[in-house]
Amino acid sequence: MDAAHATASAPARETTMPPRTGPDLPDSSDRKPAGRRPPAGVLTMAGSGLSNQTGAAIGSLAFPVLGATGVVAVRQYVAALVLLAVGRPRLRSFTKQQWWPVLLLALVFGAMNLSLYSAIDRIGLGLAVTLEFLGPLTIALSASHRRTDACCALVALAGVVTLMRPQPSTDYLGLGLGLLAAACWASYILLNRTVGRRVPGAQGSAAAAAVSALLFLPVGIVIAVQHPPTPGAAGYAIAAGVLSSAVPYLADLFTLRRVPAQTFGLFMSVNPVLAAIVGWIILGQTLGWTEWASIGAIVAANALSILTSRA
């Protein structure tokens, strides 16, 4: 999951951060979307989720040539271009107090995408996205003292235990990378709150994306020199950046003006399911009934938490 799609899948009652899957979107708390869900908003949410997961699947097709690191580098470049165009940060005006959370955000941003794509390479798209999804879910549930949320946490935990049960074919490194992506996503949410308070608009997120892209620049150069990308691999990586960065970012900007935050968060909770379906269709990655049951348990825990939360 990248900067254009990182916090909305957490339950919508997390009002201290933008209610969205992309931590770079501007806060929509000052807007008052209509209570109904206009067809345009729902269709845009569906398109955004499919675009994000399809981009990740297409990006993985470039792994044999560029590796997960090379694909992530290209995605960072695309995300930086999009966010700089929208956020237009005034970097010279940033103070020391503004810069340190921005720099930390940049580091976590890169680590989040790198660990997620490395996990996708080892355990598949569906399982990797499901494990990463635990980051925002954990933050949302830990902030609540309701019994319902405690039950949701137990359901999600049961799903995780089932996913990580010991088997001869279990890729523990891949599972660990998925959990690292979850920890990075949770850290990204917390850092994004701080940046949002200290830097106006989307300038902080844009600056963090730019710094992260600069950090990946030498990595991209080394990979390009050692393993010259084929036109196909380069196209896959660029497509991943567009579909998983530019399209979701712009789609979410449209959606947050038209649907309630709670509806947005609930709809985004199906991303692990979308990832599993896209992984099956595009990459031929099949899952057993236990994996599907685990994904369903984690998604259900998030959905139940949102549906039973106070508006």
Side-chain angles (χ1 to χ4, degrees):
M1 190 77 45
D2 89 315
H5 231 63
T7 50
S9 50
R13 64 178 176 280
E14 285 290 306
T15 55
T16 54
M17 62 181 175
R20 28 170 300 283
T21 48
D24 308 303
L25 286 176
D27 193 350
S28 63
S29 59
D30 57 334
R31 304 188 188 102
K32 296 181 180 180
R36 297 180 180 179
R37 289 173 285 181
V42 174
L43 290 175
T44 304
M45 286 190 293
S48 176
L50 283 174
S51 176
N52 189 35
Q53 304 309 332
T54 300
I58 291 175
S60 68
L61 296 176
F63 285 173
V65 178
L66 299 176
T69 304
V71 175
V72 170
V74 174
R75 281 196 58 182
Q76 301 299 94
Y77 307 151
V78 174
L81 290 174
V82 172
L83 293 173
L84 285 173
V86 177
R88 297 180 181 179
R90 300 175 182 177
L91 302 179
R92 293 184 179 180
S93 67
F94 282 18
T95 65
K96 182 179 179 181
Q97 219 176 14
Q98 291 173 318
W99 264 118
W100 79 258
V102 167
L103 294 176
L104 288 177
L105 193 64
L107 292 174
V108 173
F109 178 23
M112 177 175 64
N113 285 329
L114 184 57
S115 56
L116 174 64
Y117 266 58
S118 298
I120 291 173
D121 190 27
R122 300 185 69 93
I123 62 176
L125 181 62
L127 296 185
V129 171
T130 300
L131 290 174
E132 187 199 32
F133 184 74
L134 294 172
L137 179 59
T138 299
I139 285 184
L141 295 180
S142 64
S144 173
H145 300 289
R146 300 187 309 149
R147 291 182 180 178
T148 301
D149 288 331
C151 293
C152 290
L154 290 176
V155 170
L157 179 61
V160 174
V161 170
T162 303
L163 281 178
M164 303 188 71
R165 69 193 187 285
Q167 293 185 96
S169 60
T170 298
D171 189 327
Y172 292 105
L173 178 57
L175 295 175
L177 288 168
L179 293 178
L180 176 59
C184 289
W185 194 355
S187 300
Y188 203 100
I189 292 172
L190 298 175
L191 283 168
N192 194 65
R193 293 178 181 176
T194 303
V195 170
R197 294 189 190 104
R198 299 185 184 184
V199 185
Q203 292 188 54
S205 296
V211 172
S212 183
L214 286 175
L215 292 175
F216 273 89
L217 188 58
V219 175
I221 293 174
V222 170
I223 291 176
V225 171
Q226 294 183 346
H227 306 283
T230 63
Y236 288 144
I238 293 173
V242 172
L243 292 174
S244 294
S245 295
V247 172
Y249 182 86
L250 297 176
D252 290 350
L253 281 175
F254 174 87
T255 302
L256 285 170
R257 290 173 170 82
R258 288 162 177 80
V259 299
Q262 186 181 47
T263 301
F264 188 91
L266 181 62
F267 193 92
M268 285 293 111
S269 70
V270 304
N271 267 286
V273 176
L274 289 177
I277 294 174
V278 169
W280 171 55
I281 294 175
I282 296 180
L283 304 175
Q285 297 172 346
T286 58
L287 299 175
W289 71 267
T290 52
E291 284 77 16
W292 276 111
S294 300
I295 292 173
I298 293 170
V299 169
N302 186 71
L304 179 62
S305 179
I306 293 175
L307 288 173
T308 59
S309 64
R310 295 182 179 86

